[in-house]
């Protein structure tokens, strides 16, 4: 029965030569008929003259389900807290580098997610063809904006999504940020602009600041992150970001991707304070398996070859034949292709072209059927794998078709129609567009999104290998000449041109004028890459440009040589390539003809020395040497009297209504030498602040004096703010300092780098003497966020340091030392140990006096609150007098609490010993607090009252003491110093108990406990309740 069939069976499948050998095979055929009925229809079989490998996913269901599960974790509701998910899909390494099915898996995943409302962005990186910096990622965003602006989409969502996106974008970016993004994504300008602001948007241009190289890169990263947040929040849908061929990504793109992943992971949990939500972005990267970092935290799918059974399913569907009948052929295909899906497809097609797999009418069976000779196919050698098959396939094309594909391969995996139009008739093609259209019909390339692209990287590689190196070089030179005239005005064309120049190479160009032209074009590209913070591409362009310089170029091409080597020093410094940076600097310093020509390189060297921790002394020497050459000399060892005289003299020039008005009305500085001097003075100001040098006020005064004489420069406000700080810290002239720093903020303009410095100085070190401390915290937080957003890491750290110091001493229980206040397992005895004598001494040895003073203040605060006086007595005796001597005229925030708790401890120790040393210390603390209270009642009055109360108590003046304790409690409560109210109540309770006023004690202890609990000091509450 199994070997015989009815004459009416389907397509002759069960004739004796195709007979089944078991009922299991019958069931297999029947199941396949149910699942894929079209494969067994007579007409389908008859009409198929060649294999049709279907565009579907084979043997990847498990990975697909896992990918969908990972994507689902990125969709959060308001209360969820999830980890940012990143999926890496890697293919085979070794000879079979492509075709493992990575793209098919991702495409199926994208199809399923987009059908559920997801947005998707596709970024494909390329091995060949240097792109405009960050253009691969930026173009994906730009394509999204273009789709939103299309007629149909705009009509559907103008009043909804597009309007929400415009609002989010305008709220997320300032006037300095948009030009940077517009430069990378032209369609973003159209999304943001409307009738009211389109003209303004069009007129704004982006100006790169070389003095802020590193911060510019961080700022660029932040802009992309904010853009991603603005898009996802406005569209209300999750986004899939597909990074294809990630192993070819340039370093700038990789750094950006890394940053986005880190930031999305950091913000994935809702912040109840800032109300920041995660971005709902699922990132997928497709890479070669030998490029994957196995130590990575990313979820990875390793795309393995298809199994023999999977290959048989694929072959059966391609031939519309039973799997039972294709088994033998599939086994051979698996052996030849090792289960690589792309290789299998090309191998099947090649078999039909070579007539080794034929669909013909059989006279024996009187049916149409596939025939193949297994021995011939098995004996067929394929030494180079799929590349050999594709090469043979390409060689069957017409001359024009092959030439068109080879020309297309010179641009990489894809090229825009705009670029192709410029080379339409190059390289022997009558019309490249028609040629590529015929290639598209043959499925070598495809046209989409206004560009042509190879359907697979293996075809690209085969096209590159289809002609020899000499012919390839001729084609690239023709393309270069055709595109060259357009590279001057179009950045995209420029980077294609310099890529072709680099591949042609300096050794193949002998004409001197052409060499200079190519060097100049690479310099132009390097500057543009630097502006886009793609320092790696900039370095490549500079090196290529230098390679085209001829012998004796410093004599024959001086200006070009100077710019190339100065640019090289700049980008190599940004990349951290110190040796190459120093070689480029030496080239400039050894060959420059004028001081002015060395200044750009000198800025690089000074910045390098300043940022290298052990080179500050060398930085000072070098900076002052440059300043002297610019006409600004400083005394070798300035005396205190000279510094004081300079500060007071400069103060007279800028204070008072008339002088302030003059300052606001100053014209812009035009003297180029003085502008350079101001830039170097700012660098030296930072150096002196970092090292706490006595030159700080002198440099600030010099910047102000130059400004008054020559006009206002970009950094003039920095000098004025630094002079204000000097008035506060050196002379305790709080009112003038406060007024001056406000003036500097008002005339600073919109430069965020300058504003961040001034605001950090104002809110971290000056305004604390005049404004309520609690009002300063939000300002410091804003400065921190602004600094971080613009890549000003040093400034952000300074703002955060000031904020934490204020919070720890005024708002919250402090660091791990107050873990005992919060009731940790360390217990109160830990107070004496968490800041040790060795730590204090080490800070002094390192000349970090502010750090040492801060640690001392915290240690005294903790020990006094816990009433553990013995452990701090020797420390207080050693350091209080030291800081009193060193900082007798200084005024910094940390002084407040060093004097406050130092004064309280001194009064306690004086009460015990009547030692004059302690009496002198408390008198000094009270005297300072009286001065500060005159400046700000809000911040200092309660502290002064409590010190006075303890002093009256120590001297037995009980009535005065009782009055001051009461005033201290009232003032602490009124001015919202919760922990100091608790301390005032506790000390008052102690006083009344010793004075015999028992009726007040219980109420005061209850109030102290309540305040300590609200403050969060559970450990102190426990200690207080357990005390007798």
């Amino acid at each position: 029965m199994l070997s015989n069939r009815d004459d009416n069976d389907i397509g002759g499948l069960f004739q004796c030569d195709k007979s089944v050998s078991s009922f299991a095979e019958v069931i297999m055929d029947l199941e396949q008929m149910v699942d894929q009925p079209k494969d067994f229809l007579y007409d389908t079989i008859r009409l198929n003259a060649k294999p049709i490998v279907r565009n579907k996913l084979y043997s990847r269901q498990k990975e697909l389900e896992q990918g969908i599960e990972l994507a689902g974790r990125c969709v959060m509701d308001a209360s969820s807290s999830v980890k940012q998910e990143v999926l890496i899909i890697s293919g085979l390494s070794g000879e079979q580098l492509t075709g493992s099915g990575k793209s098919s898996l991702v495409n199926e995943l994208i199809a399923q997610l987009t059908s559920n409302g997801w947005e998707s962005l596709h970024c494909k990186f390329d091995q060949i063809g240097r792109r405009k910096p960050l253009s691969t990622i930026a173009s994906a965003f730009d394509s999204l904006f273009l789709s939103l602006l299309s007629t149909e989409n705009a009509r559907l969502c103008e009043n909804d999504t597009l309007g929400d996106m415009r609002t989010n974008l305008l709220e997320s970016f300032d006037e300095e940020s948009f030009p940077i993004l517009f430069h990378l994504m032209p369609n973003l300008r159209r999304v943001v602009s409307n009738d009211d602001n389109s003209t303004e948007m069009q007129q704004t241009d982006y100006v790169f600041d070389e003095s802020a190289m590193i911060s510019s890169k961080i700022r660029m990263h932040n802009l992309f992150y904010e853009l991603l947040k603005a898009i996802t929040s406005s569209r209300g849908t999750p986004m899939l970001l597909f990074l294809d061929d990630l192993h070819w990504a340039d370093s700038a793109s990789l750094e950006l991707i890394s940053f986005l992943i880190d930031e999305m992971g950091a913000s994935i949990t809702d912040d109840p304070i800032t109300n920041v939500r995660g971005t709902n972005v699922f990132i997928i990267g497709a890479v070669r398996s030998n490029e994957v970092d196995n130590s990575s935290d990313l979820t990875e799918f390793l795309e393995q070859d298809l199994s023999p059974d999977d290959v048989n399913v694929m072959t059966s569907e391609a031939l519309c034949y039973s799997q039972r009948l294709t088994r033998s052929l599939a086994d051979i295909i698996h052996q030849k292709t090792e289960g690589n899906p792309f290789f299998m497809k090309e191998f099947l097609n090649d078999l039909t072209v070579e007539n080794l797999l034929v669909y013909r009418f059989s006279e024996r069976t009187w049916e149409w059927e596939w025939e193949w000779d297994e021995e011939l196919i098995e004996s067929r050698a394929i030494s180079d794998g799929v590349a050999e098959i594709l090469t043979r396939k390409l060689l069957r094309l017409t001359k024009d078709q092959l030439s068109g594909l080879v020309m297309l391969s010179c641009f990489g995996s894809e090229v825009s129609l705009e670029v192709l139009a410029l080379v339409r008739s190059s390289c022997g093609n009558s019309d490249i567009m028609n040629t590529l259209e015929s290639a598209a019909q043959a499925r070598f390339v495809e046209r989409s999104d206004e560009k042509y692209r190879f359907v697979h990287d293996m075809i690209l590689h085969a096209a590159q290998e289809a002609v020899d190196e000499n012919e390839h070089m001729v084609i690239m030179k023709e393309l270069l000449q055709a595109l060259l005239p357009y590279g001057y005005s179009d950045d995209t064309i420029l980077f294609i041109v310099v890529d072709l120049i680099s591949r042609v190479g300096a050794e193949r160009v002998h004409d001197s004028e052409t060499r200079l032209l190519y060097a100049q074009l690479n310099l132009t590209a390097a500057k543009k890459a630097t502006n886009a913070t793609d320092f790696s591409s900039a370095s490549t362009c500079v090196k290529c440009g230098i390679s085209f310089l001829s012998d004796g170029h410093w004599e024959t091409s001086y200006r070009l040589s100077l710019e190339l080597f100065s640019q090289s020093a700049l980008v190599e410094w940004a990349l951290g390539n110190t040796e190459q940076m120093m070689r480029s600097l030496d080239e400039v310093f050894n060959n420059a003809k004028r001081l002015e020509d060395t200044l750009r390189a000198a800025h690089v060297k000074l910045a390098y020395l300043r940022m290298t921790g052990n080179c500050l002394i060398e930085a000072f020497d070098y900076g002052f040497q440059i300043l002297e050459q610019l006409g600004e000399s400083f005394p070798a060892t300035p005396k205190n009297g000279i510094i004081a005289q300079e500060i007071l003299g400069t103060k007279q020039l800028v204070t008072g209504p008339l002088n302030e008005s003059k300052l606001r009305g100053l014209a812009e500085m035009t003297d180029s030498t003085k502008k350079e001097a101001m830039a170097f003075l700012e660098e030296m100001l930072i150096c002196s602040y970092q090292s706490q040098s006595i030159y700080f006020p002198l440099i600030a005064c010099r910047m102000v004096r130059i400004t008054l004489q020559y006009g206002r420069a970009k950094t003039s406000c920095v000098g004025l703010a630094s002079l204000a700080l000097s008035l506060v810290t050196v002379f305790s002239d709080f009112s003038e300092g406060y007024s001056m720093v406000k003036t500097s903020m008002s005339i600073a303009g919109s430069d965020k780098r300058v504003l961040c410095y001034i605001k950090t100085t104002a809110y971290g070190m000056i305004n604390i003497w005049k404004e309520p401390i609690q009002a300063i915290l939000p300002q410091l937080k804003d400065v921190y966020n602004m600094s971080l957003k613009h890549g000003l890491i040093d400034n952000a750290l300074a703002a955060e340091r000031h904020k934490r110091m204020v919070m720890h001493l005024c708002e919250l229980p402090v660091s791990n030392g107050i873990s005992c206040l919060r009731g940790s397992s360390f217990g109160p005895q830990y107070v004496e140990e968490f800041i040790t004598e060795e730590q204090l001494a080490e800070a002094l040895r390192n000349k970090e006096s502010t750090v040492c003073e801060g640690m001392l203040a915290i240690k005294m605060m903790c020990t006094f609150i816990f009433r553990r006086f013995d452990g701090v007595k020797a420390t207080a005796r050693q350091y209080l007098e030291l800081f009193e001597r060193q900082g007798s005229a200084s005024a910094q925030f940390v002084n407040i609490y060093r004097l406050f708790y130092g004064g309280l401890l001194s009064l306690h120790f004086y009460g015990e010993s009547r030692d004059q040393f302690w009496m002198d210390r408390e008198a000094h603390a009270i005297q300072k607090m009286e001065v500060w209270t005159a400046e700000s009642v809000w911040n200092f009055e309660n502290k002064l009252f409590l010190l006075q109360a303890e002093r009256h108590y120590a001297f037995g003046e009980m009535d005065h003491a009782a009055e001051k304790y009461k005033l201290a409690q009232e003032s602490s409560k009124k001015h919202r110093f919760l922990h100091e109210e608790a301390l005032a109540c506790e000390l008052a309770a102690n006083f009344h108990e010793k004075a015999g006023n028992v009726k007040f004690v219980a109420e005061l202890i209850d109030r102290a406990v309540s305040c300590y609990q609200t403050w969060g000091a559970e450990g102190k509450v426990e200690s207080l309740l357990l005390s007798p």
Side-chain angles (χ1 to χ4, degrees):
M1 176 176 131
L2 295 176
S3 61
N4 291 292
R5 67 174 182 89
D6 187 272
D7 289 340
N8 295 319
D9 76 340
I10 302 174
L13 292 177
F14 296 104
Q15 289 185 358
C16 57
D17 57 326
K18 300 175 183 176
S19 59
V20 296
S21 59
S22 67
F23 278 108
E25 291 186 349
V26 174
I27 294 171
M28 181 192 304
D29 282 354
L30 292 173
E31 288 177 344
Q32 192 175 356
M33 288 180 190
V34 172
D35 294 337
Q36 302 288 344
K38 291 184 179 180
D39 293 354
F40 294 89
L41 293 177
Y42 178 80
D43 288 342
T44 305
I45 298 173
R46 184 171 183 177
L47 294 174
N48 279 354
K50 61 180 181 179
I52 301 178
V53 179
R54 302 183 184 182
N55 185 21
K56 62 178 287 187
L57 199 62
Y58 290 93
S59 186
R60 297 288 185 259
Q61 191 59 36
K62 179 182 177 182
E63 290 89 342
L64 182 62
E65 291 173 357
Q66 189 176 352
I68 292 172
E69 179 187 349
L70 289 172
R73 296 180 195 168
C74 294
V75 183
M76 307 182 305
D77 57 38
S79 60
S80 64
S81 172
V82 296
K83 176 185 175 183
Q84 175 62 38
E85 299 292 352
V86 179
L87 172 62
I88 294 296
I89 300 177
S90 59
L92 298 173
S93 59
E95 292 183 2
Q96 304 294 341
L97 284 176
T98 60
S100 59
K102 301 184 297 296
S103 297
S104 297
L105 174 57
V106 176
N107 289 338
E108 181 63 27
L109 183 57
I110 290 174
Q112 294 203 25
L113 291 177
T114 51
S115 67
N116 290 322
W118 281 63
E119 188 72 60
S120 68
L121 294 182
H122 184 186
C123 307
K124 183 173 175 62
F125 296 96
D126 204 339
Q127 180 185 15
I128 303 164
R130 192 181 310 154
R131 307 291 187 194
K132 181 178 172 181
L134 298 177
S135 62
T136 301
I137 298 176
S139 63
F141 284 95
D142 205 41
S143 296
L144 172 64
F145 297 137
L146 181 61
S147 70
L148 289 172
L149 291 163
S150 65
T151 303
E152 182 178 359
N153 283 342
R155 178 175 56 81
L156 292 173
C157 66
E158 173 62 34
N159 296 325
D160 186 16
T161 305
L162 198 57
D164 291 343
M165 184 178 293
R166 179 180 293 121
T167 300
N168 282 354
L169 290 169
L170 291 171
E171 289 176 352
S172 299
F173 302 109
D174 55 30
E175 68 281 359
E176 291 184 3
S177 301
F178 276 120
I180 304 173
L181 294 172
F182 292 162
H183 183 70
L184 294 166
M185 294 162 254
N187 287 306
L188 175 61
R189 187 193 301 269
R190 296 172 56 199
V191 171
V192 172
S193 299
N194 55 39
D195 293 340
D196 295 325
N197 62 14
S198 58
T199 303
E200 179 184 348
M201 291 283 182
Q202 301 248 349
Q203 290 176 344
T204 310
D205 202 3
Y206 166 50
V207 179
F208 179 73
D209 184 0
E210 272 191 9
S211 65
M213 290 275 289
I214 306 303
S215 61
S216 294
K217 179 167 71 173
I218 299 170
R219 182 186 185 185
M220 182 72 78
H221 292 173
N222 273 307
L223 289 177
F224 270 91
Y225 175 60
E226 293 297 327
L227 181 63
L228 198 57
K229 285 203 301 181
I231 292 171
T232 54
S233 61
S234 62
R235 295 192 46 90
T237 57
M239 178 177 289
L240 184 148
L241 180 58
F242 177 33
L243 307 168
D244 200 3
D245 287 339
L246 196 51
H247 44 278
W248 299 135
D250 56 280
S251 61
S253 296
L254 288 174
E255 288 178 352
L256 173 57
I257 292 164
S258 251
F259 178 85
L260 292 177
I261 292 171
D262 288 343
E263 286 301 299
M264 286 188 292
S267 71
I268 203 72
T269 305
D270 286 359
D271 184 339
I273 297 176
T274 60
N275 199 28
V276 173
R277 293 199 57 189
T279 50
N280 286 351
V281 176
F282 180 34
I283 296 179
I284 300 178
V287 299
R288 305 279 170 81
S289 58
N290 56 330
E291 302 291 338
V292 174
D293 179 5
N294 291 328
S295 65
S296 171
D297 244 355
L298 309 178
T299 303
E300 178 189 349
F301 293 166
L302 183 59
E303 284 292 281
Q304 305 292 346
D305 295 325
L306 298 182
S307 69
D309 288 340
D310 297 325
V311 173
N312 190 32
V313 171
M314 188 173 177
T315 306
S316 168
E317 294 184 1
L319 301 182
C320 292
Y321 243 30
S322 165
Q323 293 176 22
R324 172 176 57 82
L325 299 177
T326 57
R327 170 62 70 183
S328 60
L329 176 61
D331 287 344
I332 299 172
I333 294 173
H334 183 269
Q335 174 191 344
K336 293 289 184 181
T337 65
E338 298 181 355
N340 183 290
F342 182 74
F343 194 173
M344 287 169 52
K345 176 181 177 180
E346 295 301 325
F347 185 70
L348 266 175
N349 289 331
D350 194 58
L351 290 178
T352 60
V353 173
E354 298 290 333
N355 291 321
L356 296 175
L357 175 64
V358 182
Y359 190 67
R360 62 171 56 143
F361 186 80
S362 172
E363 294 182 357
R364 179 174 55 83
T365 63
W366 290 83
E367 298 286 351
W368 288 87
E369 60 184 25
W370 288 103
E371 292 182 0
W372 60 85
D373 188 318
E374 294 179 9
E375 290 186 3
L376 281 176
I377 295 174
E378 197 159 5
S379 65
R380 188 166 178 267
I382 309 176
S383 57
D384 292 330
V386 72
E388 180 180 334
I389 294 175
L390 290 173
T391 301
R392 285 204 303 266
K393 186 175 179 180
L394 288 175
L395 292 176
R396 298 187 193 109
L397 297 174
T398 66
K399 182 179 179 181
D400 276 355
Q401 286 176 323
L402 180 59
S403 174
L405 291 178
V406 172
M407 189 177 84
L408 185 62
S409 72
C410 292
F411 295 108
S413 63
E414 63 183 31
V415 64
S416 69
L417 299 182
E418 179 185 1
V419 173
L420 287 173
L422 301 178
V423 296
R424 192 172 197 129
S425 302
S426 301
C427 307
N429 281 279
S430 57
D431 190 332
I432 185 64
M433 297 299 191
N434 292 334
T435 300
L436 291 178
E437 188 59 37
S438 63
Q441 293 174 3
R443 296 296 300 148
F444 287 104
V445 297
E446 62 184 5
R447 176 174 171 172
S448 63
D449 297 332
E450 299 300 311
K451 64 182 67 172
Y452 273 103
R453 62 165 59 94
F454 284 96
V455 297
H456 202 282
D457 286 345
M458 287 300 293
I459 299 176
L460 164 65
H461 298 152
Q464 292 165 346
E465 299 297 327
V467 296
D468 62 31
E469 183 180 355
N470 290 333
E471 189 174 350
H472 209 262
M473 192 57 59
V474 170
I475 293 173
M476 284 198 294
K477 285 183 177 180
E478 280 195 52
L479 294 174
L480 177 54
Q481 292 306 311
L483 293 172
L484 197 57
Y486 306 98
Y488 302 103
S489 57
D490 189 315
D491 289 355
T492 300
I493 304 297
L494 172 65
F495 280 93
I496 294 174
V497 166
V498 296
D499 176 61
L500 290 170
I501 289 172
S502 68
R503 285 194 276 157
V504 169
E507 67 278 2
R508 296 188 180 92
V509 180
H510 306 291
D511 178 70
S512 58
E513 289 187 9
T514 304
R515 291 176 69 90
L516 289 177
L517 172 63
Y518 288 176
Q520 182 64 56
L521 285 167
N522 271 281
L523 173 62
T524 302
K527 290 180 177 179
K528 291 181 180 294
T530 303
N531 292 355
T533 70
D534 185 357
F535 305 131
S536 181
S537 293
S539 173
T540 301
C541 291
V542 169
K543 288 174 182 175
C544 182
I546 290 173
S547 72
F548 280 92
L549 294 175
S550 304
D551 293 339
H553 57 86
W554 279 105
E555 293 299 325
T556 59
S557 310
Y558 174 77
R559 183 55 54 183
L560 178 58
S561 301
L562 179 67
E563 289 197 54
L564 277 168
F565 282 101
S566 296
Q567 191 73 24
S568 173
L570 186 71
V571 297
E572 299 303 337
W573 167 66
L575 290 169
N577 298 331
T578 305
E579 290 185 8
Q580 181 60 51
M581 177 199 72
M582 294 306 295
R583 285 195 293 269
S584 296
L585 288 175
D586 288 342
E587 279 282 336
V588 173
F589 294 142
N590 293 335
N591 294 283
K593 297 177 180 179
R594 304 180 306 161
L595 170 66
E596 292 84 349
D597 294 341
T598 67
L599 294 179
R600 191 172 175 221
H603 277 296
V604 174
K605 183 174 181 179
L606 181 58
Y608 163 72
L609 293 173
R610 180 176 66 80
M611 294 183 182
T612 304
N614 56 355
C615 294
L616 271 179
I617 295 176
E618 188 179 350
F620 262 107
D621 292 342
Y622 183 70
F624 282 133
Q625 175 188 336
I626 297 296
L627 284 169
E628 188 165 2
Q629 291 177 298
L630 291 169
E632 303 297 333
S633 58
F634 287 81
T637 53
K639 304 295 184 182
N640 288 339
I642 294 175
I643 295 172
Q645 184 179 352
E646 182 69 11
I647 294 173
L648 293 174
T650 308
K651 169 192 168 184
Q652 294 300 318
L653 296 175
V654 293
T655 54
L658 291 177
N659 288 333
E660 285 187 19
S661 177
K662 176 185 175 183
L663 192 62
R664 295 174 190 276
L666 284 173
E668 186 176 343
M669 188 180 295
T670 57
D671 189 307
S672 58
T673 301
K674 295 306 175 183
K675 287 170 75 173
E676 284 289 353
M678 288 290 284
F680 277 101
L681 283 167
E682 184 192 22
E683 280 282 336
M684 295 301 291
L685 194 69
I686 298 171
C687 279
S688 59
Y689 181 79
Q690 288 175 334
S691 60
Q692 299 180 13
S693 167
I694 57 176
Y695 282 103
F696 181 84
L698 290 179
I699 295 170
C701 290
R702 186 67 55 86
M703 293 178 75
V704 173
R705 287 177 180 270
I706 291 175
T707 297
L708 291 171
Q709 185 174 354
Y710 294 93
R712 200 162 65 197
K714 183 173 65 173
T715 57
S716 293
C717 300
V718 173
L720 188 62
S722 301
L723 175 59
L725 180 61
S726 300
L727 287 171
V728 168
T729 57
V730 177
F731 289 105
S732 295
D733 192 344
F734 304 110
S735 295
E736 286 295 352
Y738 181 60
S739 174
M740 192 177 293
V741 82
K742 286 202 296 184
T743 301
S744 70
M745 276 196 284
S746 68
I747 63 176
S750 60
D751 189 308
K752 296 299 186 294
R753 185 174 66 85
V754 172
L755 269 175
C756 286
Y757 173 86
I758 295 173
K759 287 186 175 183
T760 301
T761 302
Y763 298 122
M765 293 176 278
I766 296 177
N767 294 16
I768 53 174
W769 305 102
K770 304 295 288 186
E771 297 177 2
I773 287 177
Q774 296 90 339
I776 287 172
L777 281 172
Q779 300 289 352
L780 286 171
K781 183 177 180 180
D782 288 345
V783 175
Y784 169 80
N785 289 331
M786 184 193 301
S787 300
L788 208 59
K789 183 176 181 178
H790 288 80
L792 305 169
I793 301 301
D794 288 346
N795 208 85
L797 290 173
E800 179 68 9
R801 187 167 58 248
H802 292 311
K803 179 169 73 75
R804 286 181 178 275
M805 183 64 74
V806 172
M807 288 178 64
H808 287 164
L809 290 173
C810 300
E811 296 285 319
L812 302 171
V814 194
S815 67
N816 64 342
I818 301 296
S819 58
C820 50
L821 284 174
R822 288 181 168 169
S824 78
S825 58
F826 293 108
Q829 67 276 8
Y830 185 61
V831 171
E832 301 107 42
E833 301 172 8
F834 85 96
I835 294 177
T836 65
E837 291 291 331
E838 177 55 34
Q839 288 172 319
L840 292 168
E842 183 181 4
L844 279 185
R845 285 195 300 272
N846 294 334
K847 297 182 178 180
E848 296 173 335
S849 59
T850 303
V851 174
C852 180
E853 188 174 3
M855 290 193 295
L856 177 66
I858 292 172
K859 185 178 182 71
M860 291 191 301
M861 174 184 180
C862 296
T863 52
F864 188 84
I865 288 176
F866 271 102
R867 320 295 289 168
R868 300 185 65 82
F869 303 110
D870 292 341
V872 76
K873 187 172 185 178
T875 303
R877 190 175 193 99
Q878 178 182 352
Y879 287 97
L880 283 178
E881 187 177 22
L882 171 67
F883 282 115
E884 188 178 313
R885 217 172 36 244
Q886 287 184 348
S888 57
S890 72
Q892 300 182 54
F893 177 78
V894 71
N895 301 158
I896 300 169
Y897 287 90
R898 185 253 302 170
L899 284 164
F900 178 51
Y901 286 103
L904 291 174
L905 282 169
S906 297
L907 284 162
H908 174 82
F909 294 137
Y910 176 76
E912 287 183 338
S913 64
R914 298 296 165 176
D915 187 334
Q916 184 65 34
F917 173 86
W918 298 115
M919 185 176 177
D920 292 342
R921 303 289 78 71
E922 61 87 7
H924 176 72
I926 290 176
Q927 181 267 325
K928 279 289 186 183
M929 207 62 70
E930 287 172 342
V931 172
W932 295 341
T933 301
E935 300 291 338
S936 174
V937 170
W938 184 286
N939 289 338
F940 303 107
E941 182 188 66
N942 71 299
K943 300 171 183 62
L944 175 61
F945 284 152
L946 192 57
L947 283 169
Q948 290 173 335
E950 288 283 281
R951 189 180 196 280
H952 288 309
Y953 179 28
F955 283 89
E957 300 165 354
M958 308 304 278
D959 291 340
H960 291 301
E963 180 185 359
K964 293 296 183 179
Y965 280 124
K966 184 178 180 180
L967 290 173
Q969 295 166 47
E970 292 172 351
S971 181
S972 297
K973 184 174 183 178
K974 178 181 178 181
H975 299 129
R976 304 203 305 271
F977 292 104
L978 187 64
H979 63 302
E980 290 169 11
E981 180 186 354
L983 185 60
C985 290
E986 182 184 359
L987 293 179
N990 180 61
F991 161 75
H992 284 295
E993 184 178 24
K994 295 290 178 63
N997 302 321
V998 182
K999 60 181 179 179
F1000 299 116
V1001 174
E1003 180 186 352
L1004 288 168
I1005 291 295
D1006 287 343
R1007 281 183 60 191
V1009 167
S1010 176
C1011 290
Y1012 279 130
Q1013 281 180 326
T1014 306
W1015 188 42
E1018 296 293 339
K1020 171 60 182 176
V1021 170
E1022 181 181 352
S1023 173
L1024 193 59
L1025 292 175
L1026 291 175
S1027 61

